[in-house]
Amino acid sequence: MKLSFIKETPLKIPYTTANVIGMLVNRLTAMLEEMAAARPIVVVCVGTDRSTGDSLGPLIGTSLSKYRSPHFSLFGTLENPVHAMNLDDTLIEINRRFHKPFVIGIDACLGQVSSVGSIQVGVGPVRPGAGVNKDLPPVGDIHITGIVNVGGFMEYFVLQNTRLHLVMKMADIISLSLFTAIANNAHITTSVLEQTAASDNT
């Protein structure tokens, strides 16, 4: 799958779709293979556990942290969330610690009624705070967002009154899909390096 195709067609899929995890894994694996190369992968899950709707990111981060994978670094969990107050410092720390990191930005967002429950994957950063008129720095070379509720009116109240069931179901799907894609990419990268080393030795 070529990057130009990925850029033209961001994926948007309801979490209730039959093969939602397989479709997300395929898209994310292709994006990582095309774009991440040998760069360190850093996952930034934006949000806060003080708001049900805005807890999607930290829930995903907490799920990912349980894998204890060496193939990516993680910022943003329920215990240590990345939110409006520390986002700038977090991004500075990431760029200090990692050389040319490939950042995956994850956040909840608001949308149209028909889109609630949809998961979006696309090239370019997520823009935290846009739904509640906050001016925060963009995050990510690619983004994953979950549309948790309806936007356009009393956004803070809407986020506070989002169903936890929906947020947790979406968090489970996104975390499993992303971990699988990163593991796939690590396997692909290792195979390419081994093949290159073998050909150098012949």
Side-chain angles (χ1 to χ4, degrees):
M1 188 180 291
K2 296 300 182 186
L3 180 56
S4 58
F5 174 71
I6 295 173
K7 276 186 175 177
E8 290 167 8
T9 56
L11 181 65
K12 180 179 178 182
I13 180 170
Y15 84 97
T16 52
T17 302
N19 190 31
V20 60
I21 291 176
M23 296 172 75
L24 289 169
V25 168
N26 288 342
R27 177 57 62 93
L28 288 165
T29 301
M31 295 173 85
L32 291 171
E33 185 180 359
E34 187 76 36
M35 300 173 66
R39 296 163 65 186
I41 295 174
V42 179
V43 180
V44 182
C45 300
V46 182
T48 172
D49 62 346
R50 294 177 183 270
S51 166
T52 308
D54 208 21
S55 66
L56 179 68
L59 280 167
I60 292 169
T62 296
S63 292
L64 288 171
S65 69
K66 295 174 183 176
Y67 291 111
R68 301 184 184 278
S69 171
H71 302 305
F72 65 92
S73 299
L74 176 67
F75 293 82
T77 62
L78 290 170
E79 183 177 8
N80 296 298
V82 172
H83 45 63
M85 302 302 292
N86 64 5
L87 180 57
D88 279 306
D89 290 341
T90 301
L91 296 177
I92 290 169
E93 180 183 353
I94 289 169
N95 285 305
R96 181 180 58 80
R97 283 177 52 184
F98 302 97
H99 178 64
K100 293 184 178 178
F102 183 81
V103 178
I104 302 171
I106 300 176
D107 197 8
C109 66
L110 301 174
Q112 298 176 343
V113 175
S114 59
S115 296
V116 173
S118 290
I119 297 166
Q120 302 176 122
V121 177
V123 173
V126 67
R127 301 189 180 278
V132 289
N133 300 312
K134 283 186 178 178
D135 185 21
L136 299 174
V139 181
D141 294 279
I142 65 172
H143 65 269
I144 306 171
T145 56
I147 302 174
V148 297
N149 215 325
V150 181
F153 180 71
M154 297 179 66
E155 281 83 359
Y156 283 106
F157 180 79
V158 168
L159 282 171
Q160 291 280 3
N161 287 276
T162 296
R163 286 201 66 203
L164 181 61
H165 172 76
L166 171 65
V167 176
M168 292 190 71
K169 290 291 288 186
M170 295 175 75
D172 287 344
I173 289 167
I174 292 170
S175 57
L176 178 56
S177 301
L178 181 55
F179 174 75
T180 305
I182 291 174
N184 287 347
N185 182 67
H187 177 71
I188 292 166
T189 303
T190 301
S191 298
V192 170
L193 291 173
E194 289 173 347
Q195 290 171 10
T196 303
S199 63
D200 288 345
N201 291 330
T202 54

